[in-house]
Structures are given as C-alpha cells and as structure tokens.
Amino acid sequence: MRIGLGWLIVPLQRGDDRTMAWHNGGTGGHRSFVAVAPQSRAGVAVLTSSARWVDRLGVDLMRALAA
C-alpha cells in the first residue's frame, strides 16, 4: 500500500498491476467511501447516513466496475 496526497493506493485485485486510489471518512453518524481506478477509467462513491462503515461495499463495487 502507498499513500498519495492522503489517498490510499492499493492494487485493484491481488496480483494485478492496476491500482485503485481510495479514501473514506465519517462524522456525526454519516460515512463515506470514494475510489477511482485510473487505468480502468472507473470510479465509485458510497455515501450513507449510517454510522456503519461502507468500505467493503465500496471496494466490492469498484472491483466489479473495473473488471
């Protein structure tokens, strides 16, 4: 994993040369997740008014879109 301007940069899939940059956050009972996969020209944003983290959903959506 690398970090670029506060974004986490990881392989899109294990063993894949393509990367995904993502960031998450939460405040006041709301959560968010945003990811982009530049080589696949794909991106996803998940926003919720729940205190539950949405990272797994965001990563799964990103991998499905970039496949």
Side-chain angles (χ1 to χ4, degrees):
M1 180 184 319
R2 300 178 322 201
I3 298 178
L5 293 175
W7 290 78
L8 301 166
I9 303 166
V10 298
L12 190 56
Q13 299 280 356
R14 188 168 286 183
D16 197 338
D17 289 338
R18 298 175 301 162
T19 59
M20 162 176 66
W22 66 274
H23 201 299
N24 63 2
T27 185
H30 303 278
R31 299 285 185 214
S32 61
F33 176 91
V34 174
V36 294
Q39 299 94 337
S40 300
R41 299 180 56 92
V44 66
V46 180
L47 308 172
T48 183
S49 58
S50 166
R52 295 184 62 184
W53 291 100
V54 292
D55 296 8
R56 173 56 37 206
L57 173 61
V59 169
D60 289 347
L61 285 169
M62 184 76 257
R63 288 179 173 159
L65 284 172

